[in-house]
Amino acid sequence: MNEPPTSVDAGPKSQMATRAPAVSGASQLYQVVWRWHFYAGILTAPIFWIVTITGALYVFQTELTAWRDQTLREVAVGETRLSYDRLRELAAAETAPNELEAIVVSADAARSVAFVAHAEEQVAGEVGGEDHDHGQDRHQHIYLNPYTGELLGSKIAEEDFFAIVLDLHRSLMMGTTGRILSELATSWGLLLLATGVYLWWPRGKRNVGVWVPRIKGKLYAVLRDWHAVSGLYFVPLAVIVMGTGLFFSVVMGSAFNASVKAAGHWAPKWFAPALSAPVAADVKPASLDQVVTTYLSHSRGADDMIPIRFVKNPDHAYKAFLMQDDDKNKLRMVSVDQYTAETIEVVDAADNPFLYRVRVWAVSIHMGKIFGMPTKILALVTSIVLFLLSVTGIWMWWKRRPTGRTGFPRRPVDGAMPAWGWVVIAVAAIALPVAGISMLVVALVDAIWATVQRMRGASYSAIQ
């Protein structure tokens, strides 16, 4: 977070003119850590800005969506309601020829009833590139007044503002490639925090600029203090936010999921199809009203949203997740027999095996929903601080960069990567695989560049 006084690289001529003085091991360690801190900041900045801004927005997705969609979601309570079967008929007429896939209900009498229809397929690559994970999967949501049957409006879920925000946050709208880049930025972000704490370490310095940032003096010095000190105080929150984000990632997230499955801690009751009790061939399925009534009996309050997917297989049962604020830690799975409308099974998030619960906790913590609004505010502030840390870091480099030079930190005096440096890279490759691989690439490029510089210096010396 604070750069050493000799932080600017020099050209071949200046290197030949003066011989660098010998430095202690501690000083060399500081230079090496500073270089990696610098590389991490440069590599993560553009992606970091996108991820932090979209993350700050998405934290309040529930509240902002409820405010924006009031005309779609809220209705005046009437004396009588239409049956859910009748609403399904009206919805089918509105969405034809698209097939209805699900109904979304709530225990709140002042809420509309939503239906989900599979929209026409979209050409691959039209949204998010041809390797976009869901480029061909589009869903139309329509909203009906349950008292009058009036169509309140409709929208395509994949074209919603927050769907785009989430796509940017997860994959930069680049599919799997973007998800790997986001994982790279997150992993390097953790390395930024670790190296930043080392660079901040007081080493005999006094209070000002160490524990309390200066508010007077040159702009560069003030920004440097705020960059270092505020970064230190937000390290715990930043580690939690970024660390839990890795549970969504391609490499580490997939590895964790594989480990959970290998340990037998996956959640089979959540994902395996639920089966209805065998019945005679002439027995008709229960009405949608009966099924919805059963689901509403398991609601924990008006904030529960219950998306119920329609059953197509005659042997299967209805299976739906009751959701509160899209908090995965509060999910409740309920399966209902499609013929009797009786409850088959109820599984709360806490009923799942331990390792899978860890995954669910990570999702809720990352989204700032583990303890409601207080953690949302903390997640928002953390996202803003991370964005400002990256911006001020880039600004300080650009401000101090000599004209015509990169301004990159100077290589250690002996020019070689210490043995422990390779150990750190090896450990990082195991703990943070994407970051470890990129560190190896950066180290190799750095070594090649140093070789080129030495060759240029030798050529210059021979000409002289």
Side-chain angles (χ1 to χ4, degrees):
M1 294 179 184
N2 290 321
E3 75 279 15
T6 56
S7 62
V8 180
D9 62 347
K13 184 173 181 178
S14 62
Q15 289 178 352
M16 294 300 298
T18 58
R19 186 187 183 108
V23 295
S24 65
S27 178
Q28 185 182 30
L29 174 60
Y30 189 97
Q31 288 182 353
V32 171
V33 173
W34 161 240
R35 279 173 65 82
W36 283 105
H37 185 77
F38 178 88
Y39 287 145
I42 291 292
L43 287 173
T44 61
I47 301 174
F48 224 63
W49 297 343
I50 295 174
V51 171
T52 52
I53 292 173
T54 53
L57 278 172
Y58 202 79
V59 165
F60 294 98
Q61 177 261 346
T62 300
E63 291 78 9
L64 292 174
T65 299
W67 169 78
R68 183 197 64 188
D69 294 343
Q70 290 181 57
T71 57
L72 297 177
R73 295 159 58 96
E74 299 178 7
V75 298
V77 178
E79 293 183 1
T80 58
R81 293 172 63 106
L82 298 177
S83 70
Y84 288 103
D85 289 287
R86 176 55 181 159
L87 291 172
R88 181 177 183 176
E89 292 175 359
L90 294 173
E94 291 288 348
T95 58
N98 297 330
E99 182 182 5
L100 291 180
E101 292 186 340
I103 181 175
V104 182
V105 299
S106 169
D108 189 347
R111 289 291 297 272
S112 64
V113 173
F115 287 87
V116 182
H118 188 272
E120 70 278 4
E121 289 190 352
Q122 185 158 324
V123 178
E126 186 173 335
V127 174
E130 61 182 5
D131 70 337
H132 190 277
D133 292 340
H134 304 287
Q136 295 181 334
D137 206 10
R138 301 173 76 240
H139 299 86
Q140 180 186 9
H141 287 214
I142 71 167
Y143 300 82
L144 299 180
N145 185 320
Y147 300 96
T148 66
E150 175 192 0
L151 175 65
L152 302 176
S154 69
K155 61 183 179 180
I156 300 298
E158 289 73 23
E159 296 174 0
D160 183 78
F161 172 76
F162 281 103
I164 296 172
V165 167
L166 183 60
D167 199 3
L168 277 169
H169 184 76
R170 285 179 173 173
S171 66
L172 312 175
M173 298 191 76
M174 297 171 59
T176 302
T177 301
R179 291 185 65 195
I180 293 175
L181 289 175
S182 292
E183 182 173 0
L184 175 66
T186 303
S187 301
W188 273 99
L190 291 171
L191 295 175
L192 265 171
L193 296 176
T195 53
V197 170
Y198 176 84
L199 296 173
W200 162 87
W201 199 259
R203 297 178 182 84
K205 297 175 185 176
R206 296 184 178 182
N207 184 44
V208 176
V210 176
W211 298 104
V212 179
R214 282 171 283 197
I215 58 175
K216 295 181 180 180
K218 294 183 178 180
L219 177 60
Y220 180 88
V222 172
L223 275 181
R224 182 184 59 197
D225 278 6
W226 280 93
H227 178 86
V229 179
S230 61
L232 172 76
Y233 290 139
F234 274 90
V235 161
L237 284 175
V239 168
I240 291 173
V241 170
M242 289 192 286
T244 52
L246 290 174
F247 282 81
F248 302 94
S249 63
V250 173
V251 179
M252 291 196 66
S254 299
F256 180 79
N257 290 343
S259 300
V260 173
K261 291 177 181 178
H265 280 216
W266 203 243
K269 293 182 179 180
W270 275 27
F271 300 112
L275 300 178
S276 293
V279 295
D282 59 345
V283 175
K284 294 183 179 181
S287 68
L288 185 57
D289 285 78
Q290 292 175 293
V291 173
V292 171
T293 299
T294 302
Y295 273 108
L296 290 177
S297 70
H298 294 285
S299 175
R300 295 154 297 184
D303 60 340
D304 262 335
M305 292 301 299
I306 313 174
I308 307 170
R309 182 174 290 274
F310 297 134
V311 178
K312 296 181 180 179
N313 190 312
D315 296 327
H316 286 178
Y318 286 94
K319 192 172 187 178
F321 288 89
L322 281 66
M323 300 186 295
Q324 292 181 320
D325 193 17
D326 200 24
D327 183 357
K328 302 300 186 292
N329 197 47
K330 296 179 181 177
L331 283 181
R332 167 176 287 179
M333 189 283 294
V334 179
S335 53
V336 174
D337 192 295
Q338 70 163 304
Y339 297 100
T340 65
E342 295 178 351
T343 302
I344 298 174
E345 192 169 31
V346 178
V347 181
D348 288 323
D351 299 326
N352 286 312
F354 174 74
L355 288 180
Y356 191 82
R357 283 159 53 198
V358 169
R359 183 178 184 273
V360 172
W361 289 332
V363 174
S364 294
I365 291 171
H366 184 72
M367 298 174 70
K369 296 184 177 182
I370 194 71
F371 295 122
M373 186 57 68
T375 45
K376 289 188 178 187
I377 294 173
L378 284 176
L380 171 67
V381 173
T382 302
S383 295
I384 294 173
V385 169
L386 287 172
F387 172 78
L388 293 176
L389 288 174
S390 180
V391 169
T392 54
I394 296 296
W395 184 90
M396 287 189 293
W397 160 62
W398 193 259
K399 184 72 174 177
R400 293 291 295 269
R401 182 182 60 90
T403 303
R405 295 183 185 175
T406 63
F408 287 5
R410 184 172 295 173
R411 290 176 58 81
V413 174
D414 64 6
M417 170 70 77
W420 55 262
W422 293 108
V423 173
V424 170
I425 292 176
V427 172
I430 297 173
L432 302 168
V434 176
I437 293 171
S438 64
M439 287 176 71
L440 180 61
V441 172
V442 171
L444 290 174
V445 171
D446 191 48
I448 293 171
W449 178 249
T451 301
V452 171
Q453 290 290 81
R454 284 196 297 270
M455 293 175 63
R456 288 175 59 190
S459 299
Y460 179 84
S461 178
I463 294 175
Q464 292 294 78

